[in-house]
Short mmCIF file of all heavy atoms in Angstrom, two decimals:
data_model
loop_
_atom_site.label_atom_id
_atom_site.label_comp_id
_atom_site.label_asym_id
_atom_site.label_seq_id
_atom_site.Cartn_x
_atom_site.Cartn_y
_atom_site.Cartn_z
N VAL B 734 -38.67 19.11 -18.61
CA VAL B 734 -38.79 20.36 -19.33
C VAL B 734 -37.59 21.21 -18.93
O VAL B 734 -37.25 21.28 -17.75
CB VAL B 734 -40.09 21.11 -18.94
CG1 VAL B 734 -40.16 22.45 -19.66
CG2 VAL B 734 -41.31 20.26 -19.25
N GLU B 735 -36.91 21.75 -19.93
CA GLU B 735 -35.77 22.62 -19.62
C GLU B 735 -36.00 23.98 -20.26
O GLU B 735 -36.48 24.07 -21.39
CB GLU B 735 -34.47 22.07 -20.24
CG GLU B 735 -34.17 20.62 -19.98
CD GLU B 735 -33.43 20.40 -18.67
OE1 GLU B 735 -33.05 21.39 -18.03
OE2 GLU B 735 -33.27 19.22 -18.29
N VAL B 736 -35.65 25.00 -19.51
CA VAL B 736 -35.68 26.35 -20.08
C VAL B 736 -34.30 26.93 -19.85
O VAL B 736 -33.74 26.76 -18.76
CB VAL B 736 -36.73 27.22 -19.37
CG1 VAL B 736 -36.77 28.60 -20.00
CG2 VAL B 736 -38.10 26.58 -19.44
N TYR B 737 -33.73 27.55 -20.84
CA TYR B 737 -32.36 28.04 -20.66
C TYR B 737 -32.15 29.36 -21.37
O TYR B 737 -32.87 29.74 -22.28
CB TYR B 737 -31.35 27.02 -21.16
CG TYR B 737 -31.44 26.74 -22.63
CD1 TYR B 737 -30.75 27.52 -23.56
CD2 TYR B 737 -32.25 25.71 -23.11
CE1 TYR B 737 -30.86 27.27 -24.92
CE2 TYR B 737 -32.36 25.46 -24.47
CZ TYR B 737 -31.66 26.25 -25.36
OH TYR B 737 -31.78 26.02 -26.70
N LYS B 738 -31.13 30.02 -20.92
CA LYS B 738 -30.67 31.21 -21.60
C LYS B 738 -29.15 31.21 -21.53
O LYS B 738 -28.57 30.94 -20.49
CB LYS B 738 -31.25 32.45 -20.91
CG LYS B 738 -31.16 33.68 -21.78
CD LYS B 738 -32.20 34.72 -21.41
CE LYS B 738 -32.11 35.87 -22.39
NZ LYS B 738 -33.02 36.96 -22.12
N GLN B 739 -28.52 31.48 -22.66
CA GLN B 739 -27.06 31.49 -22.71
C GLN B 739 -26.58 32.85 -23.18
O GLN B 739 -27.16 33.43 -24.09
CB GLN B 739 -26.56 30.46 -23.74
CG GLN B 739 -26.99 29.05 -23.50
CD GLN B 739 -26.54 28.15 -24.64
OE1 GLN B 739 -26.42 28.59 -25.77
NE2 GLN B 739 -26.29 26.90 -24.32
N PHE B 740 -25.52 33.30 -22.56
CA PHE B 740 -24.91 34.57 -22.98
C PHE B 740 -23.47 34.27 -23.37
O PHE B 740 -22.70 33.81 -22.54
CB PHE B 740 -24.93 35.59 -21.85
CG PHE B 740 -26.31 35.85 -21.32
CD1 PHE B 740 -26.82 35.09 -20.28
CD2 PHE B 740 -27.09 36.86 -21.88
CE1 PHE B 740 -28.10 35.33 -19.80
CE2 PHE B 740 -28.36 37.10 -21.40
CZ PHE B 740 -28.87 36.33 -20.36
N THR B 741 -23.14 34.51 -24.59
CA THR B 741 -21.76 34.27 -25.02
C THR B 741 -21.05 35.61 -25.17
O THR B 741 -21.57 36.52 -25.81
CB THR B 741 -21.74 33.47 -26.33
OG1 THR B 741 -22.44 32.26 -26.12
CG2 THR B 741 -20.31 33.16 -26.75
N ASN B 742 -19.90 35.70 -24.55
CA ASN B 742 -19.16 36.96 -24.52
C ASN B 742 -17.79 36.81 -25.15
O ASN B 742 -17.30 35.70 -25.32
CB ASN B 742 -18.97 37.42 -23.07
CG ASN B 742 -20.28 37.79 -22.45
OD1 ASN B 742 -20.90 38.77 -22.83
ND2 ASN B 742 -20.73 36.97 -21.51
N SER B 743 -17.18 37.93 -25.44
CA SER B 743 -15.84 37.94 -26.04
C SER B 743 -15.78 37.01 -27.24
O SER B 743 -14.85 36.23 -27.38
CB SER B 743 -14.78 37.52 -25.03
OG SER B 743 -14.76 38.37 -23.97
N LEU B 744 -16.81 37.07 -28.05
CA LEU B 744 -16.89 36.19 -29.22
C LEU B 744 -15.62 36.20 -30.03
O LEU B 744 -15.08 37.26 -30.34
CB LEU B 744 -17.99 36.69 -30.15
CG LEU B 744 -19.41 36.24 -29.94
CD1 LEU B 744 -20.25 36.78 -31.08
CD2 LEU B 744 -19.48 34.73 -29.90
N LEU B 745 -15.17 35.04 -30.39
CA LEU B 745 -14.06 34.95 -31.32
C LEU B 745 -14.65 35.14 -32.71
O LEU B 745 -15.27 34.24 -33.25
CB LEU B 745 -13.38 33.59 -31.18
CG LEU B 745 -12.61 33.39 -29.87
CD1 LEU B 745 -12.27 31.94 -29.66
CD2 LEU B 745 -11.35 34.23 -29.86
N LEU B 746 -14.48 36.33 -33.23
CA LEU B 746 -15.12 36.65 -34.51
C LEU B 746 -14.10 36.69 -35.64
O LEU B 746 -13.12 37.41 -35.55
CB LEU B 746 -15.75 38.05 -34.44
CG LEU B 746 -17.10 38.20 -33.81
CD1 LEU B 746 -17.60 39.62 -34.01
CD2 LEU B 746 -18.08 37.24 -34.42
N PRO B 747 -14.36 35.95 -36.69
CA PRO B 747 -13.53 36.15 -37.86
C PRO B 747 -14.05 37.38 -38.57
O PRO B 747 -15.23 37.49 -38.86
CB PRO B 747 -13.76 34.90 -38.70
CG PRO B 747 -15.08 34.39 -38.28
CD PRO B 747 -15.39 34.95 -36.92
N GLN B 748 -13.18 38.31 -38.80
CA GLN B 748 -13.65 39.56 -39.33
C GLN B 748 -12.99 39.81 -40.67
O GLN B 748 -11.78 39.65 -40.81
CB GLN B 748 -13.25 40.66 -38.36
CG GLN B 748 -14.31 41.70 -38.24
CD GLN B 748 -13.90 42.80 -37.31
OE1 GLN B 748 -12.94 42.67 -36.55
NE2 GLN B 748 -14.61 43.88 -37.38
N THR B 749 -13.79 40.18 -41.66
CA THR B 749 -13.23 40.60 -42.92
C THR B 749 -12.88 42.07 -42.77
O THR B 749 -13.73 42.87 -42.40
CB THR B 749 -14.25 40.43 -44.06
OG1 THR B 749 -14.64 39.07 -44.10
CG2 THR B 749 -13.64 40.81 -45.40
N LEU B 750 -11.65 42.39 -43.02
CA LEU B 750 -11.23 43.78 -42.87
C LEU B 750 -11.45 44.50 -44.19
O LEU B 750 -11.51 43.86 -45.24
CB LEU B 750 -9.75 43.82 -42.50
CG LEU B 750 -9.39 43.08 -41.21
CD1 LEU B 750 -7.89 43.06 -41.01
CD2 LEU B 750 -10.07 43.74 -40.02
N PRO B 751 -11.58 45.81 -44.16
CA PRO B 751 -11.64 46.51 -45.44
C PRO B 751 -10.35 46.23 -46.20
O PRO B 751 -9.28 46.15 -45.59
CB PRO B 751 -11.76 47.98 -45.04
CG PRO B 751 -11.36 48.05 -43.61
CD PRO B 751 -11.63 46.71 -43.01
N PRO B 752 -10.43 46.04 -47.51
CA PRO B 752 -9.23 45.70 -48.27
C PRO B 752 -8.09 46.70 -48.07
O PRO B 752 -6.91 46.32 -48.12
CB PRO B 752 -9.71 45.72 -49.72
CG PRO B 752 -11.16 45.41 -49.65
CD PRO B 752 -11.64 46.02 -48.36
N THR B 753 -8.42 47.95 -47.76
CA THR B 753 -7.36 48.95 -47.56
C THR B 753 -6.50 48.63 -46.34
O THR B 753 -5.43 49.21 -46.18
CB THR B 753 -7.96 50.35 -47.35
OG1 THR B 753 -9.01 50.25 -46.39
CG2 THR B 753 -8.51 50.90 -48.65
N SER B 754 -6.94 47.71 -45.49
CA SER B 754 -6.11 47.32 -44.36
C SER B 754 -4.85 46.60 -44.84
O SER B 754 -3.90 46.45 -44.09
CB SER B 754 -6.89 46.40 -43.42
OG SER B 754 -7.12 45.17 -44.08
N GLY B 755 -4.89 46.10 -46.06
CA GLY B 755 -3.74 45.36 -46.56
C GLY B 755 -3.72 43.91 -46.10
O GLY B 755 -2.83 43.16 -46.45
N ILE B 756 -4.70 43.54 -45.29
CA ILE B 756 -4.78 42.16 -44.80
C ILE B 756 -5.96 41.49 -45.51
O ILE B 756 -7.12 41.76 -45.18
CB ILE B 756 -5.01 42.14 -43.27
CG1 ILE B 756 -3.92 42.94 -42.54
CG2 ILE B 756 -5.07 40.70 -42.75
CD1 ILE B 756 -2.54 42.37 -42.61
#
Side-chain angles (χ1 to χ4, degrees):
Chain B
V734 177
E735 310 274 353
V736 182
Y737 63 88
K738 197 156 184 182
Q739 302 175 330
F740 303 89
T741 303
N742 293 292
S743 299
L744 273 185
L745 290 166
L746 278 187
Q748 218 182 345
T749 302
L750 301 174
T753 48
S754 68
I756 304 293

